[in-house]
Amino acid sequence: MCGIVGYVGRTSGRADAGHTALDVVLEGLRRLEYRGYDSAGVAVVADGEISSRKKSGKLSNLLAELDARPLPEAMTGIGHTRWATHGGPTDQNAHPHLSDGGKLALIHNGIIENFAELKLELVAKGVEFASETDTEVAAALLGDIFRNKLGGDVSDGGLTRAMELACQRLEGAFTLLAVHADQPDVVVAARRNSPLVVGLGEGENFLGSDVSGFIDHTRRAVELGQDQIVTITADSVAITDFFGAPAEGKEYHVNWDPESAEKGGFPSFMEKEIHDQPDAVGQTLLGRSDIHGKLTLDELRIDPALLKSVDKIIVLACGTSAYAGQVAKYAIEHWCRIPTEVELSHEFRYRDPIVDANTLIVSISQSGETMDTLMAVRYAKEQGAKTVSICNTNGSTIPRESDAVLYTHAGPEIAVASTKAFLAQITAAYLLGLYLAQLRGNKFQGEIKDILADLAKIPAKIQRILDNEGQIKELGQSMADAKSVLFLGRHVGFPVAMEGALKLKELAYIHAEGFAAGELKHGPIALIEEGQPVFVVVPSPRGRDSLHSKVVSNIQEVRARGAKTIVIAEEGDEAVKAYAEHVFYIPETPTLLAPLLATVPLQIFALALATAKGYDVDQPRNLAKSVTVE
Ligand code: M6R
């Protein structure tokens, strides 16, 4: 949800480090803005004072405010970009929030669940509140502890000690960053169930919701554990738990560069990320098998005996990642013969699910921070299940808390609408399915080798679709006035249809639904009227048990009722031409792998239509990239 940055450099100013705290913080916020863009704010410590600016709306509003009312040069600062939870997206509710007579500034990501009770307590002490946020309560609590409990004494921990005491009182999920005018060379941060990483520099240190907050300055990062506090100065990083006991973080090297988080000449991150997809799939496949075609998933450190005893798989995920899970279900059940359920993470633990030591939980999350999925994984672990995370973000919470991880290597996904992560997740789930089939002897080695060879051809096939994107782009642009678009698919085409609809909803803000084509006659066909656009994902006509003719019948059913049909079909499928206003061909590929291709035209369509409507495709309204609240 919100994006957070903190920085401390040597106090000698810009000349020494080449940048000020504000330079670093604003650059970090620019990269983290995908996490929320309801408001943005910064605070710096200079000349024994806190100076802050904050503005509702996107970061550009804050930049204009800073132009009009510049901040003093400083080497200690914090910055925040907000996705609103408590209180609307106003200037007043924007972070930082101040306390201790304006000497303390605090920013927050998450939700303080006991804020109402704490607020009553603070109001009784005479504290006045200016916003509707839970964050201001945390700021007031911290200020009260610093001033009234510790007497403003900075000789014995000061702000760090105050943060420990405050965190002992806070319930919920939070990352907090605070600065105090009496400790000008320090940023103190705390995390519980919400992301925070440290960046290690030379004579400067950084904090960020994720590494993009400081990727321009260092690739050395430190993961923090749950319930930890970190105090950074220009030359030190000290980690403790919420009771002051020393703790350790885990240092790692960030293996992507700042350029990969830039637009690379494309007008939007989303367009760039759609074009990254051949690489995202290729990288996710890289190094997963030996020369004999045997899959070797080194990261999957679960005892093979345990994996052999699995009698049920439950995939947990939300949004696009859940559609990746639905695609995976078809492949895993087919290849491994293990019953596989796919459950939206936020529904999972509330239905008393049947989970035991023979259940394998596969969570899928691009960010690795989705709170609904994290909570579902924790619940499953408590029931004794083994947990594997498919994740795109190194060092994030869900893989850290899982028994094993299979990283997708899609590179940073900045646009809020997921594209390349989706294809990489499907690819990783296929690898997991094939690995289980190999381990359990469900498939001959030669069969696995053949499927891997088919997967290896996918990047080039995606590239062919991208090289011919003009026709689908034009269609998207021409349909900017559409009020509703329906998507039909069967078998693996069904989750593809739902993903196509989700892209259109979140980017173009129009009604879009994905249906299983066979379900049409059970109700949804009543929606069809003259001119209703309907996308149909048609399965390959090749092979045994093809659903092709059934889907062609479904096309005829909607056309008979006036629908305008737009068909995604396999090259060489001439039969569909007679039933479609528009046909987009994708290269031949085995049915189970087809989602890796069929999704791409739907992404391009949604992008083109939303762009034609003049919408910001990277930052759609009301959304945030990483949903770290339940
Ligand atoms: O980071 P995650 O994969 O856990 O995120 C899950 C969903 O929030 C995410 O896929 C969301 O649906 C996207 N906006 C879809 O484009």
Side-chain angles (χ1 to χ4, degrees):
M1 311 257 70
C2 308
I4 279 185
V5 197
Y7 174 79
V8 188
R10 291 216 176 103
T11 46
S12 43
R14 186 194 292 268
D16 194 29
H19 43 243
T20 64
L22 192 61
D23 297 334
V24 174
V25 165
L26 290 176
E27 182 56 28
L29 290 185
R30 187 181 70 76
R31 290 193 184 280
L32 288 171
E33 201 182 10
Y34 71 88
R35 296 180 66 88
Y37 29 85
D38 287 330
S39 64
V42 288
V44 297
V45 193
D47 311 324
E49 281 182 10
I50 298 284
S51 305
S52 78
R53 302 283 183 268
K54 52 189 194 173
K55 234 24 211 163
S56 61
K58 295 195 174 180
L59 185 60
S60 50
N61 294 0
L62 175 68
L63 297 179
E65 170 74 2
L66 286 165
D67 273 349
R69 296 197 308 131
L71 285 174
E73 192 162 298
M75 294 308 285
T76 301
I78 55 177
H80 186 266
T81 176
R82 178 171 186 242
W83 187 81
T85 56
H86 291 60
T90 61
D91 287 356
Q92 203 72 285
N93 290 333
H95 304 203
H97 290 278
L98 305 184
S99 66
D100 196 18
K103 296 185 94 181
L104 186 153
L106 179 126
I107 55 179
H108 165 222
N109 172 29
I111 289 179
I112 309 288
E113 283 172 358
N114 59 337
F115 85 101
E117 168 197 328
L118 293 169
K119 191 169 185 174
L120 281 178
E121 205 179 284
L122 290 158
V123 167
K125 286 183 171 180
V127 178
E128 288 178 10
F129 289 90
S131 78
E132 304 149 280
T133 63
D134 51 345
T135 307
E136 194 182 6
V137 176
L141 176 72
L142 188 65
D144 181 56
I145 292 172
F146 182 91
R147 185 60 48 201
N148 300 323
K149 202 164 195 146
L150 304 179
D153 178 8
V154 296
S155 63
D156 186 24
L159 193 56
T160 306
R161 179 76 188 122
M163 186 66 93
E164 286 165 19
L165 296 172
C167 288
Q168 290 169 26
R169 305 258 356 246
L170 297 175
E171 289 168 17
F174 49 84
T175 300
L176 302 170
L177 259 67
V179 287
H180 198 288
D182 295 349
Q183 278 183 284
D185 309 329
V186 168
V187 178
V188 179
R191 86 167 277 252
R192 166 177 287 167
N193 289 334
S194 195
L196 178 65
V197 276
V198 182
L200 303 175
E202 296 287 325
E204 55 185 355
N205 286 305
F206 310 82
L207 294 164
S209 297
D210 64 47
V211 295
S212 48
F214 48 74
I215 190 68
D216 297 282
H217 304 283
T218 181
R219 306 265 194 98
R220 288 176 63 208
V222 177
E223 274 176 33
L224 294 177
Q226 273 309 341
D227 287 9
Q228 290 190 342
I229 289 176
V230 60
T231 304
I232 64 164
T233 67
D235 300 302
S236 66
V237 172
I239 305 172
T240 65
D241 67 13
F242 283 0
F243 296 89
E248 298 246 328
K250 193 171 140 215
E251 187 175 335
Y252 64 102
H253 180 78
V254 182
N255 57 7
W256 51 269
D257 52 29
E259 288 72 44
S260 59
E262 292 294 346
K263 289 182 194 161
F266 288 95
S268 63
F269 279 111
M270 187 185 172
E271 189 157 354
K272 183 223 172 217
E273 287 160 10
I274 288 173
H275 285 259
D276 281 347
Q277 292 185 116
D279 206 37
V281 172
Q283 289 295 326
T284 302
L285 289 171
L286 207 68
R288 307 290 197 179
S289 52
D290 65 20
I291 44 163
H292 308 294
K294 190 164 183 222
L295 265 170
T296 48
L297 301 185
D298 294 340
E299 304 148 278
L300 206 69
R301 290 192 196 98
I302 294 187
D303 180 358
L306 282 173
L307 290 176
K308 280 186 186 165
S309 65
V310 164
D311 61 13
K312 176 166 71 169
I313 292 176
I314 303 180
V315 180
L316 298 173
C318 301
T320 290
S321 300
Y323 297 142
Q326 294 203 16
V327 171
K329 171 186 162 77
Y330 289 88
I332 293 173
E333 288 191 333
H334 181 71
W335 291 333
C336 314
R337 312 309 297 157
I338 306 174
T340 303
E341 298 168 17
V342 185
E343 178 108 21
L344 291 169
S345 313
H346 36 87
E347 290 297 312
F348 176 66
R349 63 195 169 120
Y350 300 105
R351 69 163 170 91
D352 194 14
I354 300 165
V355 179
D356 60 29
N358 291 330
T359 308
L360 180 67
I361 296 291
V362 179
S363 66
I364 306 183
S365 175
Q366 187 287 129
S367 61
E369 298 293 348
T370 297
M371 185 60 82
D372 291 318
T373 304
L374 175 62
M375 290 303 174
V377 168
R378 282 186 185 165
Y379 177 86
K381 281 190 86 168
E382 279 163 24
Q383 312 299 308
K386 286 283 159 225
T387 54
V388 174
S389 153
I390 292 179
C391 184
N392 195 43
T393 311
N394 225 295
S396 55
T397 308
I398 297 173
R400 278 211 327 262
E401 294 200 11
S402 300
D403 297 306
V405 57
L406 199 54
Y407 278 114
T408 50
H409 296 294
E413 192 180 66
I414 308 296
V416 165
S418 187
T419 53
K420 63 177 178 174
F422 179 63
L423 296 201
Q425 288 165 342
I426 294 173
T427 307
Y430 288 158
L431 290 173
L432 178 64
L434 290 172
Y435 181 74
L436 291 173
Q438 174 179 281
L439 195 71
R440 297 159 65 103
N442 301 94
K443 285 251 169 258
F444 294 115
Q445 204 58 55
E447 293 175 290
I448 293 174
K449 200 173 164 187
D450 288 348
I451 300 169
L452 286 173
D454 285 327
L455 274 170
K457 291 178 195 152
I458 293 287
K461 292 179 181 178
I462 299 173
Q463 192 56 55
R464 270 174 55 200
I465 298 171
L466 295 171
D467 291 344
N468 295 299
E469 65 179 0
Q471 189 198 357
I472 186 93
K473 264 190 165 172
E474 269 172 36
L475 181 72
Q477 285 154 2
S478 71
M479 285 176 61
D481 295 334
K483 296 278 173 289
S484 153
V485 181
L486 303 181
F487 294 78
L488 305 181
R490 278 184 100 131
H491 190 255
V492 284
F494 173 34
V496 171
M498 291 193 285
E499 171 61 6
L502 177 60
K503 288 288 92 79
L504 207 52
K505 279 182 237 192
E506 62 183 340
L507 294 172
Y509 319 146
I510 60 178
H511 170 250
E513 291 296 330
F515 296 109
E519 187 64 10
L520 208 62
K521 55 192 174 297
H522 299 287
I525 200 162
L527 289 169
I528 307 293
E529 56 188 13
E530 196 58 40
Q532 168 69 51
V534 180
F535 268 87
V536 188
V537 181
V538 178
S540 167
R542 298 171 299 117
R544 280 183 301 136
D545 305 328
S546 167
L547 278 166
H548 183 266
S549 58
K550 298 268 186 320
V551 175
V552 170
S553 301
N554 296 140
I555 301 177
Q556 286 169 297
E557 287 157 15
V558 292
R559 267 171 73 91
R561 289 158 178 87
K564 178 177 146 192
T565 50
I566 305 151
V567 166
I568 311 290
E570 189 176 89
E571 277 168 3
D573 183 357
E574 294 297 319
V576 291
K577 273 191 175 155
Y579 310 111
E581 262 72 32
H582 302 273
V583 184
F584 297 96
Y585 283 114
I586 55 173
E588 272 190 15
T589 209
T591 300
L592 280 172
L593 310 190
L596 293 171
L597 305 181
T599 307
V600 180
L602 304 184
Q603 297 167 337
I604 298 167
F605 173 78
L607 171 84
L609 194 150
T611 307
K613 290 181 89 168
Y615 294 153
D616 181 344
V617 292
D618 287 337
Q619 297 181 339
R621 71 183 181 201
N622 303 338
L623 296 177
K625 183 71 184 162
S626 169
V627 185
T628 54
V629 292
E630 274 188 281

